[in-house]
Every structure is written in structure tokens, then in C-alpha cells.
């Protein structure tokens, strides 16, 4: 299958002095990855590994020093320079659902803003019906439409973020620790929702997480990042049950399971 | 009620914590009871709004201003809730210490690490030279490498894991018998988390320290705790030996929590999740607080608050239908 998202030899550094940027911190150091249509790639690693920076490059929020991001064979520039159809094709869901929504905006206006930004995706007929269908897709009652984001629970906020992303009919969802800040019982709901949506909405996903268990449940393939480099990549089952790289093994050794008392 | 009053280092009995709310007080902890026997680790599990942190703060006497308490916190036979402020200060740090999720909030950014640890020793009358030696020894025990040099550094020069170790050294300086650890590894990477948990366990074994580990993470609790207390909406849902509770829960809430934890090495099917969000003290449902999310809920659950009761040897559950949950 041909690639939907193609990241090749991505390099990103921050800081540094002068034109040569001496002493710059290299966050991403030559990362290449591909995601085919409707596929979910899990990107795992510890803090500082560069996984979020990769996500931000894909979403067009960070400009790489070099390398390229391609989508369906077309180059993906920074978000501001992307043609609208590419901008809406890649949508992002962030870790903290509260800070990624304006607490004073109603849910209806959050979704309405997405439709205003990408008018081709706005419903031609009855907006209220379309809004309610979208909310029901993400497991929210219609009455939530008139509520302000600040009045909602963390899980509800994350559902609204997902609804906002879905409103513009994306093909790739970039989820950066999208379930990490949620309560355990709510995390299971959102994971389930994402798994259902990728099927019903035929979405590809770049799913970034530090939690190997979560990635194991949702990803088709997994890439392990360390210090700006992908050290191992492959089918989720292979990488997480028979890791080849010692760092993947170290991550697995450190990860806790429920059956661990007294060991 | 605590079942073994004689043997317990700490007994929490019918603890109630009310915080001043908008119109009326909010009952954030509502009739919580459990024991921490000397030298053991008890895990306090709960989601946001469960009252787990407030329970720990009530034990150590650091509740926010305006909080009202009821019930008892019996420490070596003495009820701390009715102890005077001088006595409480004396207990805090010397007999009971606490570490937090965010060590930066607990460490002074303008003081060298060694001085902060030393200050506790000096306040206890340890002479300067002796205090210097003890600081290095404490940092070393907390697993800070090159402790002589690192004692002269500031908190911002420490990584997240090292800061947590510095806070552990700080907590151990007063030679406590009980350590309250509130989400001590939540902000850390997995490899660092594993090392900190190993450290806590080794300190505990060597010094016979008792620990109350407060966490939302069942995996962390399963890893270190002998007994667990599961809290929901300010009340105890279930308590008992950790292994038994996690393998054979006696409360539908515990069962759902256990099922929502994905395995790491094998692919687990996505759990059938609980509906809704955790109940909070501000919107605690009548009857059993868990009933709107519970697959077993029926009329009785909507009307009657379930009392915690013994449902097996050392197994306690606050579910009307615990026997149906236990396999």
C-alpha cells in the first residue's frame, strides 16, 4: 500500500547561538517514518526523546531544520502555508483537553469555528442536526452543545477535542499523549472511542504515548524513539513481544503490569 | 472499623474531611477507615475527586485552611486530629513524612540541596559537622550519585528523578516511621519510575519503614503494596490484600479499574469501559455513589448507601452485591 504520511530524514534543533547555532539542542536527528491509509502508528519513548517534536512537525506547528513531511505524495509545509485541504487532512488531539479548548466557548461554537475555518466541510443542510450527529459520534449527548468547555469533565473535553478534529473530516489524526492526563476509567473510554472512530471514519493515526500498554492495544505498528532517533520500528506484536533493540527491552523491563506483587 | 487496633502503627477510623465550598461545605472524605501496620505498605487507590490525597493530608496535618475533620487518626495510640499544633509539628517530618508528585514544589529553588536536608537535621540539634556527614549519607541512601558534589547543587540542576530522590532524602532526614507518598512516580519516565519504586522498597525493607502509597496507577500500587484501599467519591469502595483485591475484586468499581489497565507484553482487547466520569464530592449521587456507572446497579443502590462490610477473610467491600462480584 502506498504511504499516506511520509516523513523522511527529519531534523529539528532548538536554540543555539549565532548563524551556525552553536550549542543548539538536537531534538530530532534524522527520523523517517511512513503511515499508510487507515493505519495506526504508535510512537513511544521517554520525555525528551523527540516524539512530540515529530508530531508537531507533522501537524505543521514546528518547522524542521531539514528533511521533509509528505502527505499523499504532496509536501507538507508549515501549517500557515499549507493549502486548506492539506491543513484539514491532518488534525491534532493534545494531551491536556482543558488547555486545548477555550473554557468560555460553547461546544457548538468550538465545532462551528472548525467549520468556519474549513467551509468545504461545513454541513450544507441543518447545522444542528450535523452537530448532534458529530457529538453522538464521539459519545456526547446533544445537550452538551450549549455547554461551555470550562463546565465539562476532562473526558468530555477530550471528546470535544476529538469532535473538533473530526468536524473537518481529516484523514490523519495526530494524538499526542491524548489519554495520558485522563482518569483510568475515562482513559479506557477514549481509547475505545479512538479505536471505533478509526474504523468508522477510516482514519490513519500517529499515536504518541509513553504508555506501552496503551500503544499495544491500539497501534498496528510501533516506532521506539530515543534521543531524537528511532531505534526500532515494526509490527506492534513483534516489537513489544520480541524486541530487537536493547532500549525497547529496557522500556519493557521497566514497564509495570498488574501482576507484579512481590516480584 | 479497623480490625486489629493493637498491631497498627496508624489507624484511620471514620475519617471525615469537610472543605468550605460555595454554598455549603464539601465532604471530600466521608467515613474512611483503614490501618497501616508497622513496616508495611498500604496502597490508597483512587481517581480524581476520590479523596485519596485529602486523606493523606489529614493524616499528616496539612489540610488546607478552613478544613474541618471528624473521626480519628490514631498514631501509636494517640489521636492526632485532637493533638495540639506543637505536637502535630513534632510528628510531621519526624514520625510521619510525606513526598509529593512534584518535587520542585516541595524543594526551595534558592537553596542548595544539601542545605535543605541539613536544615532539618540542624533544627533537631545535630551539630554542623555531623549534619554535613549525615546529609551526604542521606543523599547516598536515596540513590543520589556523587552525593558530596550534588549536595552543593540547586534543585534546578537536578533531573526529575534526582529531584524525587532529593525529596526522599529530605523526607528521611527526620527518621520517620511512616512515609506518605502521594503519586511519587506519576511525573517520571518509566525507567526512572522503576528505579524510584525499587529505592522506596529497599529503604522500606532496610529501615522497617511503613508506607502509605497514594496513586491512581494500579500498576504502581500492585507493584509495592501489600494491602490496598480503593476509594471512590470520598468513600472506601473496597479494601484487602493487594493481590486478592486485584485478582478477585469485591466491588464492581475495582473490577472495572482492573479491566481498564492494558497489559504491556501482550495485546489486551480494549476494555468495555465504564460510562461517565468519576463522581466528585460536589456531585455525589444519592445511595451508592458508584451506581450511575455500575453495571450491577438496581433499585437498592439508588436509595441506600452501602456500608463497608466483611465479605471474606480480610476482604471488605462497600457494595450491596459484593457476593455477585466475587467469583
Amino acid at each position: 500500500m502506498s504511504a499516506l504520511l511520509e516523513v523522511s530524514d527529519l531534523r529539528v534543533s532548538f536554540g543555539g547561538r549565532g548563524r551556525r547555532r552553536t550549542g543548539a539542542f538536537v531534538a530530532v536527528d534524522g527520523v523517517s517514518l511512513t503511515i499508510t491509509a487507515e493505519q495506526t502508528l504508535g510512537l513511544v519513548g521517554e520525555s525528551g526523546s523527540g516524539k512530540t517534536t515529530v508530531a508537531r512537525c507533522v501537524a505543521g506547528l514546528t518547522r524542521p531544520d531539514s528533511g521533509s513531511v509528505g502527505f499523499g505524495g504532496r509536501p507538507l509545509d508549515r501549517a500557515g502555508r499549507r493549502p486548506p485541504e492539506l491543513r484539514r487532512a491532518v488534525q491534532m488531539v493534545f494531551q491536556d483537553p482543558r488547555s486545548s479548548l477555550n473554557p468560555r466557548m460553547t461546544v457548538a461554537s468550538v465545532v462551528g469555528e472548525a467549520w468556519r475555518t474549513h467551509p468545504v466541510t461545513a454541513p450544507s443542510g441543518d447545522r444542528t442536526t450535523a452537530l448532534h450527529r458529530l457529538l453522538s459520534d464521539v459519545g456526547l449527548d446533544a445537550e452538551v452543545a450549549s455547554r461551555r468547555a470550562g463546565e465539562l469533565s476532562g473526558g468530555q473535553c477530550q471528546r470535544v477535542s476529538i469532535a473538533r478534529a473530526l468536524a473537518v473530516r481529516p484523514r490523519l489524526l495526530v494524538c499526542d499523549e491524548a489519554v495520558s492526563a485522563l482518569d483510568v476509567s475515562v482513559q479506557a473510554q477514549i481509547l475505545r472511542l479512538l479505536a471505533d472512530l478509526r474504523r468508522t471514519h477510516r482514519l490513519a493515526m500517529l499515536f504518541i504515548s509513553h504508555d506501552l500498554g496503551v500503544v499495544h492495544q491500539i497501534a498496528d505498528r510501533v516506532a521506539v524513539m530515543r534521543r531524537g532517533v528511532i531505534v526500532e520500528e515494526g509490527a506492534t506484536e513483534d516489537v513489544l513481544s520480541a524486541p530487537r533493540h536493547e532500549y525497547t527491552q529496557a522500556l519493557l523491563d521497566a514497564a509495570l503490569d498488574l501482576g507484579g506483587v512481590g516480584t | 472499623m479497623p480490625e486489629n487496633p493493637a498491631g497498627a502503627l496508624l489507624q484511620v477510623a471514620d475519617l471525615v474531611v469537610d472543605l468550605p465550598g460555595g454554598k455549603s461545605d464539601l465532604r471530600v472524605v466521608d467515613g474512611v477507615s483503614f490501618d497501616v501496620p508497622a513496616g508495611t505498605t498500604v496502597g490508597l487507590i483512587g481517581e480524581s475527586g476520590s479523596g485519596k490525597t485529602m486523606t493523606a493530608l489529614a493524616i499528616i496535618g496539612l489540610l488546607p485552611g478552613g478544613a474541618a475533620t471528624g473521626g480519628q487518626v490514631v498514631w501509636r495510640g494517640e489521636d492526632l486530629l485532637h493533638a495540639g499544633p506543637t505536637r502535630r509539628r513534632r510528628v510531621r517530618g519526624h514520625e510521619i513524612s510525606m513526598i509529593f508528585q512534584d518535587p520542585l514544589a516541595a524543594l526551595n529553588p534558592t537553596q542548595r540541596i544539601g542545605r535543605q536536608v541539613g536544615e532539618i537535621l540542624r533544627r533537631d540539634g545535630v551539630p554542623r559537622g555531623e549534619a554535613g556527614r549525615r546529609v551526604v549519607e542521606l543523599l547516598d541512601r536515596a540513590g543520589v550519585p556523587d552525593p558530596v558534589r550534588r549536595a552543593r547543587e540547586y534543585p534546578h540542576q537536578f533531573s526529575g528523578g534526582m529531584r524525587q530522590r532529593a525529596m526522599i532524602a529530605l523526607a528521611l532526614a527526620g527518621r520517620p516511621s511512616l512515609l506518605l507518598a502521594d503519586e511519587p512516580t506519576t511525573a517520571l519516565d518509566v525507567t526512572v519510575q522503576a528505579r524510584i519504586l525499587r529505592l522506596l522498597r529497599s529503604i522500606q525493607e532496610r529501615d522497617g519503614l511503613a508506607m502509605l502509597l497514594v496513586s491512581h496507577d494500579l500498576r504502581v500500587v500492585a507493584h509495592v503494596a501489600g494491602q490496598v484501599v480503593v476509594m471512590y467519591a470520598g468513600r472506601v469502595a473496597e479494601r484487602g490484600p493487594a493481590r486478592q483485591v486485584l485478582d478477585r475484586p469485591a466491588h464492581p468499581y475495582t473490577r472495572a479499574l482492573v479491566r481498564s489497565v492494558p497489559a504491556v507484553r501482550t495485546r489486551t482487547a480494549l476494555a468495555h469501559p465504564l460510562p461517565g466520569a468519576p463522581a466528585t464530592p460536589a456531585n455525589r449521587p444519592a445511595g451508592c455513589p458508584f451506581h450511575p456507572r455500575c453495571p450491577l446497579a438496581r433499585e437498592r443502590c439508588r436509595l441506600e448507601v452501602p456500608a463497608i462490610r466483611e465479605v471474606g477473610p480480610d476482604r471488605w467491600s462497600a457494595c450491596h452485591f459484593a457476593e455477585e462480584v466475587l467469583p
Side-chain angles (χ1 to χ4, degrees):
Chain A
M1 209 190 284
S2 68
L4 180 70
L5 178 79
E6 192 149 31
V7 174
S8 65
D9 205 22
L10 201 67
R11 273 166 217 280
V12 187
S13 61
F14 297 109
R17 246 171 262 157
R19 195 187 297 168
R20 309 191 125 188
R21 306 190 43 214
T22 19
F25 173 74
V26 181
V28 178
D29 194 7
V31 161
S32 301
L33 50 88
T34 54
I35 300 179
T36 58
E38 299 176 44
Q39 189 183 53
T40 296
L41 174 73
L43 189 56
V44 303
E46 296 188 287
S47 52
S49 61
K51 53 191 195 303
T52 289
T53 306
V54 170
R56 291 181 62 88
C57 289
V58 171
L61 302 175
T62 294
R63 187 156 62 146
D65 298 355
S66 65
S68 67
V69 181
F71 190 86
R74 299 168 66 186
L76 273 187
D77 211 333
R78 263 181 303 163
R81 294 190 184 172
R82 285 179 188 180
E85 70 274 18
L86 280 184
R87 232 182 324 139
R88 72 175 178 84
V90 181
Q91 290 294 314
M92 195 156 174
V93 179
F94 296 93
Q95 171 170 4
D96 184 354
R98 288 184 195 283
S99 64
S100 58
L101 293 173
N102 181 340
R104 301 171 71 159
M105 268 169 84
T106 64
V107 172
S109 53
V110 167
V111 173
E113 190 180 55
W115 279 333
R116 238 185 355 269
T117 313
H118 296 287
V120 289
T121 61
S124 46
D126 183 8
R127 280 211 172 199
T128 314
T129 314
L131 175 64
H132 289 174
R133 190 179 318 125
L134 187 62
L135 291 180
S136 125
D137 278 355
V138 297
L140 289 172
D141 293 335
E143 57 95 16
V144 171
S146 57
R147 306 261 299 274
R148 290 179 200 283
E151 306 164 21
L152 303 177
S153 71
Q156 285 175 314
C157 282
Q158 202 58 305
R159 289 177 194 273
V160 173
S161 302
I162 294 169
R164 172 176 63 184
L166 289 182
V168 299
R169 300 200 296 269
R171 297 179 65 199
L172 173 71
L173 212 52
V174 179
C175 300
D176 188 5
E177 300 281 8
V179 300
S180 307
L182 303 173
D183 275 317
V184 194
S185 65
V186 179
Q187 175 176 319
Q189 295 168 10
I190 300 296
L191 270 180
R192 179 96 203 190
L193 172 67
L194 287 171
D196 290 346
L197 288 175
R198 56 178 279 224
R199 214 181 47 247
T200 53
H201 289 63
R202 319 192 73 172
L203 288 167
M205 280 202 282
L206 176 59
F207 189 90
I208 291 159
S209 180
H210 69 280
D211 189 326
L212 295 178
V214 165
V215 168
H216 209 148
Q217 280 190 318
I218 201 153
D220 305 309
R221 295 180 68 75
V222 64
V224 182
M225 268 190 93
R226 183 194 200 188
R227 293 186 195 143
V229 180
I230 290 180
V231 296
E232 179 167 6
E233 204 229 320
T236 305
E237 283 303 318
D238 298 344
V239 174
L240 296 183
S241 16
R244 296 219 182 127
H245 195 280
E246 56 177 17
Y247 180 66
T248 314
Q249 185 64 58
L251 279 183
L252 280 164
D253 289 345
L256 301 176
D257 260 329
L258 260 191
V261 172
T263 55
Chain B
M1 282 290 101
E3 48 273 25
N4 182 15
L9 183 67
L10 175 78
Q11 290 168 260
V12 175
D14 271 324
L15 178 68
V16 170
V17 177
D18 290 330
L19 293 184
K23 289 186 209 96
S24 57
D25 284 359
L26 273 185
R27 181 146 293 185
V28 293
V29 177
D30 188 11
V32 165
S33 302
F34 62 89
D35 292 351
V36 182
T40 65
T41 297
V42 174
L44 195 54
I45 300 171
E47 297 186 284
S48 52
S50 64
K52 58 188 190 302
T53 294
M54 286 299 158
T55 300
L57 292 177
I59 292 168
I60 200 167
L62 288 176
L63 284 170
T69 53
Q72 290 181 310
V73 171
V74 181
W75 173 249
R76 290 175 165 146
E78 173 191 7
D79 183 6
L80 291 180
L81 290 184
H82 295 97
T86 317
R87 173 68 188 138
R88 293 232 69 172
R89 261 200 308 279
R90 180 67 210 162
V91 170
R92 195 183 307 140
H94 291 93
E95 299 175 39
I96 305 176
S97 277
M98 186 157 178
I99 59 175
F100 304 87
Q101 175 173 346
D102 179 11
L104 266 192
L107 295 169
N108 184 338
T110 67
Q111 274 186 14
R112 298 174 200 274
I113 294 287
R115 175 160 169 202
Q116 298 187 47
V117 180
E119 201 174 295
I120 299 173
L121 301 170
R122 297 274 295 141
R123 212 180 289 155
D124 289 348
V126 179
R128 192 174 294 273
E130 161 83 17
R133 270 194 302 281
R134 288 264 304 277
V135 165
V136 171
E137 187 190 302
L138 280 163
L139 288 175
D140 185 52
R141 270 176 58 199
V144 175
D146 197 1
V148 178
R149 184 176 61 82
R150 309 272 345 220
R152 288 197 293 269
E153 293 184 347
Y154 292 92
H156 76 266
Q157 293 171 289
F158 277 48
S159 66
M162 279 304 143
R163 278 177 204 145
Q164 197 55 273
R165 289 175 191 274
M167 188 158 59
I168 291 169
L170 214 60
L172 296 179
R175 301 177 191 264
S177 309
L178 172 67
L179 182 66
L180 308 179
D182 189 6
E183 304 275 7
T185 62
T186 303
L188 303 174
D189 279 325
V190 278
T191 51
V192 184
Q193 165 173 285
R195 286 196 286 268
I196 296 290
L197 290 178
R198 215 175 297 137
L199 170 73
L200 287 174
R201 279 219 314 222
S202 74
I203 289 172
Q204 180 189 27
E205 279 163 22
R206 199 179 40 207
D207 301 359
L209 191 70
M211 187 156 71
L212 181 67
L213 176 71
V214 179
S215 183
H216 73 286
D217 192 333
L218 265 67
R219 295 175 288 197
V220 168
V221 172
H223 202 64
V224 289
Q227 294 271 322
V228 293
V229 179
V230 182
M231 287 186 69
Y232 189 81
R235 300 202 182 109
V236 174
E238 164 163 23
R239 62 187 156 86
R243 198 63 264 167
Q244 287 187 37
V245 168
L246 297 174
D247 287 344
R248 296 173 58 236
H251 195 288
Y253 175 60
T254 318
R255 188 173 66 183
L257 279 185
V258 168
R259 285 183 183 167
S260 66
V261 176
V264 173
R265 288 154 195 88
T266 52
R267 184 184 290 255
T268 27
L270 283 160
H272 207 76
L274 286 175
T280 58
N283 59 15
R284 182 184 296 132
C288 172
F290 184 60
H291 85 257
R293 309 179 76 194
C294 182
L296 298 178
R298 53 203 86 168
E299 194 57 22
R300 188 178 170 197
C301 308
R302 280 177 270 278
L303 301 171
E304 192 185 326
V305 178
I308 191 149
R309 60 197 172 91
E310 195 160 16
V311 293
D314 201 21
R315 296 293 307 275
W316 296 74
S317 169
C319 174
H320 291 309
F321 304 102
E323 286 75 10
E324 289 178 30
V325 185
L326 273 166

